[in-house]
Amino acid sequence: MLLCPGAATSRWLGFGADVVDALGVRLVSVDRPGLGSSTPAPGRTYADFAADIRDLVGLRGLACPAVVGNSQGAPFALACAEAGVAAALAVVSGADEVAAPEFADALPAELRRLVDTTAADPAAAEQFFAGFDADAMWRLVTSGSREADLAVYRDPGFEAAYRRALREGFAQGPAGYARDTVLAMGRWPFDLAAITVPVDVWYGEQDTSHSPDNGATLAARIPGAVRHLVPGIGGAVLWTRAEPILRALLGRRPS
């Protein structure tokens, strides 16, 4: 399975360490360009990322892997699925297409401003997002999280791993994160209706930051997608529901 990790977290923050061996899963995580140890690629696109992953799975003999897209990694995972570089897909607490017209009146004022800026002047938006660093990202995640999520994030072991992943993500500077964010906040250039592989969409019922409607519209736009709304949690679903996410994805892969 291939993991497209969340915003600026790099390949160092995985999930399911206590279950992958028992399930027979090899989990491979990839830094997007400019993050962690991946070479920067200014101006890169979703199509570029899908092409990179196609090359990677060929070079590493991974055939056509199942893919997990978490948070800001979700649209990149969806781009892979649309390009035929995924056998099945799990979108977990995925960053939704907030620039889609369906959400025009559903966004908080500050997010609406960022979406409008990204549409009007992507270069200015990219410059704004380049003002973030690892500490700012940690504050952004924790300040907007519910108590159920904070119980996960502030566990000493998890916090250390998350902060390490963020430091690695920004090791080459903020440009990789900034490019990711501009891509995620703009209109997605791939066709969700053209995705033909099995897709599961997972959101916590307390999640108020990743999708205006907990993925209901997103799931409806993907043929055959199954939506799971997880009670008692917000954006930390990937780390509290690792086993059911992986089991569902294993069951969706072609035999």
Side-chain angles (χ1 to χ4, degrees):
M1 292 187 184
L2 184 74
L3 172 63
C4 295
T9 53
S10 79
R11 68 198 183 284
W12 286 105
L13 190 66
F15 75 104
D18 56 337
V19 298
V20 287
D21 286 345
L23 294 175
V25 169
R26 179 189 180 194
L27 186 65
V28 178
S29 185
V30 180
D31 289 343
R32 292 185 289 278
L35 298 172
S37 61
S38 183
T39 304
R44 61 186 164 85
T45 66
Y46 286 113
D48 294 331
F49 180 76
D52 286 346
I53 297 303
R54 190 185 301 278
D55 289 344
L56 172 70
V57 299
L59 288 168
R60 294 296 186 183
L62 303 179
C64 191
V67 177
V68 179
N70 176 237
S71 189
Q72 195 161 275
F76 295 93
L78 286 161
C80 288
E82 194 262 357
V85 197
L89 173 63
V91 172
V92 186
S93 305
D96 210 334
E97 189 181 8
V98 289
E102 292 91 335
F103 297 138
D105 299 321
L107 304 181
E110 179 64 14
L111 179 54
R112 179 78 264 164
R113 183 184 68 79
L114 290 173
V115 169
D116 291 343
T117 298
T118 301
D121 192 344
E126 198 160 338
Q127 185 175 12
F128 170 78
F129 294 124
F132 282 74
D133 60 14
D135 289 337
M137 284 299 299
W138 174 254
R139 290 193 297 270
L140 180 67
V141 170
T142 54
S143 65
S145 295
R146 302 290 188 92
E147 286 302 318
D149 294 321
L150 291 175
V152 176
Y153 300 148
R154 289 180 174 159
D155 172 83
F158 185 90
E159 179 175 345
Y162 203 130
R163 285 178 172 271
R164 177 191 179 184
L166 289 172
R167 289 193 301 271
E168 290 283 341
F170 283 99
Q172 302 183 73
Y177 163 73
R179 183 61 184 167
D180 273 4
T181 306
V182 165
L183 290 173
M185 251 183 214
R187 291 306 309 270
W188 297 350
F190 45 86
D191 183 6
L192 293 174
I195 294 175
T196 59
V197 300
V199 177
D200 285 277
V201 176
W202 299 78
Y203 284 88
E205 66 175 1
Q206 298 177 10
D207 189 350
T208 59
S209 61
H210 289 105
S211 170
D213 61 1
N214 293 115
T217 299
L218 178 63
R221 295 172 65 193
I222 303 170
V226 177
R227 177 173 171 254
H228 309 262
L229 193 60
V230 182
I233 196 69
V237 172
L238 186 67
W239 301 284
T240 63
R241 297 293 189 275
E243 184 170 1
I245 290 167
L246 291 171
R247 286 191 181 278
L249 196 50
L250 285 169
R252 296 284 233 152
R253 294 189 65 189
S255 57

